[in-house]
């Protein structure tokens, strides 16, 4: 009798935990119709904050910013927490999911960080970008496009979107500052010095592989762990195996 009670208790606990997990997922998973781009943008933001950047329940570790070794110091390159979806498309004939993202890119020099990666090629002109001992920082912008080949996987009565290894294209824009009248004043000169420093860093890394891929691979992980119906709503005439849609934010045209 005692063992039976223990078994019943454990079964109830397992079911309750399962329901609690589903309830928590429902709080931030947004399912969208194929005609609603605004919904897809909200869906991405919710996934970004609650899944892609880390989720213990889905065994996804917290996302760590990319760091590159810069002399005796490191430069953290961040910005994914503010990324936004500006385009999305799905072609079931080609079996491709396409996403376009924009984000600010923050370059922040930090002292003696042991977790930084070595650059693709060693920096040889670090002294040229010294700034009187002050740690450098600069903000640029990035546009990232991702193509995920996919297959549909059926498991335990659910359909999952199994994303394959993605193709990534990342463009990092480092602005140049000129004061009014086209004459560089002291503020513009200081900004451009930081701009040159950030541009130098970009030239020593592979933006797609080093900066973007660690994040986009998390999108792949997130999608294939969530039932497709929790992300995509179908009209009566639609089927998961035959979806065709594409959107791009007008601001980027």
């Amino acid at each position: 009798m005692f063992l039976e009670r223990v078994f019943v208790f454990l079964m109830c606990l397992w079911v309750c935990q399962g329901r609690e997990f589903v309830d928590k997922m429902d709080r931030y998973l947004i399912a969208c119709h194929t005609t609603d781009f605004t919904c897809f943008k909200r869906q991405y933001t919710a996934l970004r904050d609650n899944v892609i950047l880390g989720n213990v329940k889905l065994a996804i570790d917290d996302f760590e910013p990319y760091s590159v070794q810069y002399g005796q110091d490191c430069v953290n390159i961040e910005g994914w927490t503010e990324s936004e979806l500006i385009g999305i498309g799905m072609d079931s004939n080609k079996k491709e999911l396409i996403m376009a993202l924009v984000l600010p890119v923050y370059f922040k020099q930090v002292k003696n960080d042991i977790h930084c990666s070595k650059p693709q090629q060693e920096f040889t002109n670090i002294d040229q970008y010294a700034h009187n001992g002050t740690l450098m920082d600069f903000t640029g912008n990035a546009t990232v496009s991702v193509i995920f080949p996919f297959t549909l996987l059926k498991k335990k009565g659910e359909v999952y979107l199994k994303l394959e290894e993605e193709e990534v294209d990342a463009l990092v824009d480092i602005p140049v500052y000129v004061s009014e009248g086209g004459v560089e004043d002291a503020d513009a000169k200081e900004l451009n010095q930081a701009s040159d420093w950030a541009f130098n860093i970009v030239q020593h890394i592979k933006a797609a592989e080093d900066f973007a891929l660690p994040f986009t691979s998390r999108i792949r992980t997130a999608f294939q762990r969530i039932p497709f119906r929790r992300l995509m709503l179908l009209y009566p005439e639609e089927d998961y195996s035959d979806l065709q849609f594409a959107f791009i934010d007008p601001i980027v045209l």
Side-chain angles (χ1 to χ4, degrees), residues 82-126:
E82 299 175 44
S83 57
E84 298 180 11
L85 183 76
I86 59 168
I88 187 170
M90 190 170 185
D91 187 332
S92 291
N93 292 330
K94 295 182 178 179
K95 292 192 174 351
E96 290 180 344
L97 173 67
I98 302 172
M99 302 177 72
L101 309 170
V102 294
L103 62 149
V105 181
Y106 302 109
F107 299 86
K108 299 180 180 180
Q109 184 180 9
V110 294
K111 285 289 186 183
N112 303 319
D113 191 325
I114 61 174
H115 301 295
C116 52
S117 305
K118 289 187 177 181
Q120 295 292 330
Q121 61 186 54
E122 292 296 328
F123 290 94
T124 58
N125 51 357
I126 292 178

Side-chain angles (χ1 to χ4, degrees), residues 227-239:
F228 201 17
R229 65 178 176 83
R230 307 290 294 277
L231 300 172
M232 191 76 68
L233 295 172
L234 298 181
Y235 290 109
E237 67 276 12
E238 291 180 325
D239 185 86

Side-chain angles (χ1 to χ4, degrees), residues 162-183:
K162 186 177 185 301
L163 301 181
E164 308 295 343
E165 188 171 331
E166 65 270 35
E167 176 183 333
V168 180
D169 183 27
L171 175 63
V172 180
D173 176 42
I174 306 296
V176 176
Y177 296 88
V178 177
S179 58
E180 293 184 6
V183 179

Side-chain angles (χ1 to χ4, degrees), residues 35-55:
T35 55
D36 194 343
F37 182 37
T38 301
C39 179
F40 281 122
K41 296 174 76 170
R42 291 190 294 108
Q43 179 190 83
Y44 171 77
T45 300
L47 284 172
R48 178 198 69 193
D49 294 343
N50 298 287
V51 179
I52 299 171
L53 291 173
N55 186 303

Side-chain angles (χ1 to χ4, degrees), residues 23 56 86 110 139 173 190 196 244 246:
D23 290 342
V56 175
I86 59 168
V110 294
T139 302
D173 176 42
E190 184 173 343
D196 289 343
Q244 305 278 337

Side-chain angles (χ1 to χ4, degrees), residues 17-27 230:
Q17 287 179 334
R19 288 176 179 171
E20 181 183 3
F21 174 64
V22 171
D23 290 342
K24 287 183 177 180
M25 294 283 281
D26 282 338
R27 294 175 188 175
R230 307 290 294 277

